[in-house]
Amino acid sequence: MLNPKKRKEMEFTNKIEIRGVVGRAELNTYAENRVCKFTVITEYSYHDRDNNPVIESIWFTVNAWEGRNMPDLNLIQKGSWVRVLGRVRNSRFTGQDGVERISWDIQASRVDIIPREDEPMQPQRYL
């Protein structure tokens, strides 16, 4: 158990930063507020025990609401390179098969579109 003095000094955070390529993007309007729901793929490369190259790809779902720290949401399109800052959120839902599931997504607080000339062609691949 944490010392009560240390506990007061400890900061609890829920922050995430990802950089990757947009897979799909859809723009919607809810109660006159626009939101772009899009997917981003990230890659991490390493060598396994046998020195074989491995590329681990992870897809993230991002919700970006129009406003401060957001680009024009129309610019977030398939193939765009982006940097996303935000927090992770989960929600429960029941699938069509009747099984309860948990969905994880990122609520963006900032989205930057990265010009391709500012990044190497494959940012994570160092093999």
Side-chain angles (χ1 to χ4, degrees), residues 21-25 38-39 59 75-81 116:
V21 179
V22 174
R24 64 177 165 77
F38 59 100
T39 58
W59 284 96
L75 297 176
I76 302 172
Q77 300 173 355
K78 181 177 183 171
S80 298
W81 293 15
R116 291 189 180 203

Side-chain angles (χ1 to χ4, degrees), residues 15-16 25 41 43 50-51 53 76 84 89 109:
K15 295 180 184 178
I16 188 168
I41 190 168
E43 292 182 342
D50 299 324
N51 206 27
I76 302 172
V84 177
R89 186 185 76 166
S109 58

Side-chain angles (χ1 to χ4, degrees), residues 7-67:
R7 189 176 211 168
K8 288 181 184 179
E9 295 171 9
M10 188 173 174
E11 178 183 354
F12 297 104
T13 60
N14 177 355
K15 295 180 184 178
I16 188 168
E17 175 181 353
I18 61 169
R19 290 184 199 201
V21 179
V22 174
R24 64 177 165 77
E26 87 183 36
L27 198 54
N28 292 302
T29 303
Y30 298 101
E32 298 180 23
N33 295 312
R34 290 176 25 156
V35 62
C36 185
K37 182 175 185 174
F38 59 100
T39 58
V40 176
I41 190 168
T42 63
E43 292 182 342
Y44 177 76
S45 58
Y46 61 94
H47 288 90
D48 65 13
R49 288 182 182 175
D50 299 324
N51 206 27
N52 296 315
V54 178
I55 298 173
E56 180 180 285
S57 299
I58 300 175
W59 284 96
F60 294 89
T61 300
V62 179
N63 295 305
W65 292 87
E66 191 169 50

Side-chain angles (χ1 to χ4, degrees), residues 67-84:
R68 193 173 147 217
N69 295 324
M70 295 297 165
D72 176 356
L73 297 180
N74 294 310
L75 297 176
I76 302 172
Q77 300 173 355
K78 181 177 183 171
S80 298
W81 293 15
V82 293
R83 173 180 173 250
V84 177

Side-chain angles (χ1 to χ4, degrees), residues 82-97:
V82 293
R83 173 180 173 250
V84 177
L85 300 173
R87 66 184 177 85
V88 178
R89 186 185 76 166
N90 70 352
S91 56
R92 296 181 188 277
F93 67 97
T94 303
Q96 292 179 347
D97 57 1

